[in-house]
Amino acid sequence: ECDWSSDVCSSDLTVYSIPFEIYSDKIKEAYKIIGTIDEKDIPYIALSFVIPNEGILTEDKHFLRQKKVRIIKIKEILKHIT
């Protein structure tokens, strides 16, 4: 069980490393969307175009400045599970 009030939470979450080749052809498109806002976020936007998903789960406010990819705030998820 997680203690959501702490900064550390262990779970059975699986993390995958996705090879750049999988999303490299989406980098230019992602740059147009978020590159001028925060270049470090480009890979996440690019990945969202090639991996089936419901959106990007983040509290990073930079993502909120774009409208192409759904952004899910952690607070929204917590409302549904608490």
Side-chain angles (χ1 to χ4, degrees):
E1 185 171 311
C2 283
D3 175 7
W4 293 103
S5 63
S6 71
D7 290 335
V8 178
C9 182
S10 64
S11 69
D12 293 330
L13 180 69
T14 302
V15 177
Y16 296 96
S17 177
I18 309 298
F20 180 70
E21 297 79 34
I22 300 292
Y23 62 95
S24 62
D25 63 329
K26 299 296 183 181
I27 292 292
K28 285 183 183 178
E29 184 179 355
Y31 178 84
K32 291 177 185 176
I33 294 167
I34 204 153
T36 59
I37 299 169
D38 188 348
E39 286 191 16
K40 295 185 298 284
D41 294 334
I42 293 170
Y44 303 108
I45 296 291
L47 279 166
S48 75
F49 295 139
V50 298
I51 296 174
N53 65 82
E54 296 295 323
I56 296 175
L57 178 64
T58 183
E59 289 293 321
D60 184 337
K61 290 179 175 45
H62 293 132
F63 285 101
L64 299 175
R65 294 173 53 192
Q66 59 79 40
K67 301 294 181 206
K68 295 284 185 177
V69 176
R70 179 180 177 207
I71 302 304
I72 305 163
K73 295 176 118 188
I74 295 168
K75 292 175 187 175
E76 290 177 42
I77 299 295
L78 292 177
K79 286 181 196 175
H80 297 285
I81 62 173
T82 56

